[in-house]
Amino acid sequence: MTTLTIQTPDDLHLHFRDGDILTETVAATARCFRRAIAMPNLVPPVTTAQSAIDYKKRIVEAVPEGKNFEPLMTLFLTNETTAQDIREAKSAGIPAAKLYPAGATTNSDAAVSSLDHLSPIFEVMAEEGMLLLIHGEVTSHDIDIFDREKVFIDRHLASIAESFPTLKIVFEHITTKDAVEFVLSSSQNMAATITPQHLLLNRNDLLVGGVHPHNYCLPVLKRNIHQQALREVVASGSEKFFLGTDSAPHEKHRKESACGCAGCYSAWSAIELYAQVFEELDCLDKLEGFASHYGADFYGMSRNPGTITLVKDSWQVPEEITLPNGNPIVPFFAGKTLQWKLVGS
Ligand code: DOR
Ligand code: ZN
């Protein structure tokens, strides 16, 4: 096969950030996606309908001329979130709210410190048909970083799903066999996103031969049996798993530092990275469902009009990209060769 045409895809989890970086991040995503779920972990976080509407406007202003792209907004849940906040957000067209356990990742200090507080909020979300997007890791110091996702399932996620059976939940950027098994054994209201880095890499790619800061993200890369489980489940074509890159830009000096930031900036090659995985797994026919159908269906949105085409044409991901502020950023998979290329980019 030398060309691959699929219905226009969506990226159902990413970080655009704010300010002048938007001209970079939004253009990179609008290159191939028609819609994207924009995460709310700005400083300060997006906690109200009005702040989400304002943020959406700034993203829309950064869409390159001639590109048809729509950001989908999310609300950041805190201990102070009210039922009224949820209702206002839903009526403003915001499809989802994001739960970060406090301290779980970049800019999540304002997040929820006790999940018990959120029961009335989850109830309203279920009533309103607003999706709950979860960063599923516990943050307590006594839990090993490689076990944090599994412990979150056991301590929190299983009981949230059981207590709120009509609430639609997206278990974001899953990284473990345990998460795959949990999602598969849960109801139709539980789905998951999977990033390119967790499909392409395992923790050896982070730690063998030196620390590789550009492969550091959260949840952290796991051992290869977990990578294998993620690969198997996307190859199975299960409708419960769909595309969410978690593309998360950090300037080069913040990644290459004594305390490097978590996040992989994959927007520049997102669909090509997934195509590479699906080809390696000999299931390119499953890419369209994963990238363009299952996520939209789970969110209750129409599938996109139009198509994108990839050609079999090897190319190298740039070593660096210059941000609008002049600082460099190292894209995910920098300097590596990919086999598929989006036509027209
Ligand atoms: O690696 C990550 N980076 N994981 C997250 O959950 C957040 C993200 C970011 O915002 O940088
Ligand atoms: Zn994220």
Side-chain angles (χ1 to χ4, degrees), residues 255-308:
K255 295 284 292 175
E256 297 178 8
S257 125
C259 185
C261 293
C264 299
Y265 183 49
S266 57
W268 265 103
S269 53
I271 197 68
E272 291 92 341
L273 291 163
Y274 285 110
Q276 182 119 340
V277 172
F278 280 70
E279 181 169 56
E280 283 169 13
L281 296 170
D282 199 17
C283 64
L284 273 174
D285 59 317
K286 302 282 185 359
L287 180 64
E288 184 175 45
F290 177 80
S292 315
H293 296 166
Y294 308 150
D297 296 351
F298 190 78
Y299 270 78
M301 308 186 294
S302 57
R303 295 178 182 178
N304 291 320
T307 58
I308 60 163

Side-chain angles (χ1 to χ4, degrees), residues 77-217:
L77 295 175
T78 72
N79 292 328
E80 275 77 52
T81 304
T82 63
Q84 184 64 10
D85 291 330
I86 298 297
R87 293 204 175 91
E88 279 174 19
K90 181 64 187 172
S91 49
I94 295 163
K98 179 76 190 279
L99 172 65
Y100 286 102
T105 190
T106 309
N107 303 337
S108 63
D109 297 348
V112 176
S113 50
S114 161
L115 291 181
D116 299 338
H117 283 87
L118 284 177
S119 288
I121 298 301
F122 293 158
E123 217 156 277
V124 179
M125 289 178 66
E127 247 170 62
E128 294 283 330
M130 185 180 252
L131 275 74
L132 174 63
L133 316 182
I134 299 188
H135 183 117
E137 288 191 288
V138 295
T139 53
S140 39
H141 259 293
D142 58 320
I143 306 297
D144 187 275
I145 190 165
F146 292 103
D147 298 333
R148 289 178 173 198
E149 186 171 276
K150 160 98 175 90
V151 173
F152 186 87
I153 297 169
D154 297 342
R155 286 194 187 163
H156 305 294
L157 190 53
S159 73
I160 296 173
E162 197 183 299
S163 310
F164 304 94
T166 59
L167 178 63
K168 280 191 163 182
I169 299 174
V170 184
F171 191 178
E172 299 287 354
H173 40 54
I174 60 164
T175 63
T176 57
K177 187 169 185 283
D178 312 278
V180 169
E181 287 166 0
F182 175 76
V183 172
L184 285 173
S185 67
S186 298
S187 83
Q188 284 313 303
N189 286 334
M190 176 75 65
T193 52
I194 306 186
T195 74
Q197 62 267 27
H198 293 104
L199 290 167
L200 284 160
L201 308 179
N202 61 59
R203 67 194 195 180
N204 282 358
D205 300 293
L206 178 65
L207 296 170
V208 172
V211 176
H212 301 267
H214 299 289
N215 292 340
Y216 175 57
C217 63

Side-chain angles (χ1 to χ4, degrees), residues 13 15 39 98 100 173 246:
H13 180 132
H15 303 261
M39 287 296 131
K98 179 76 190 279
Y100 286 102
H173 40 54
D246 201 17

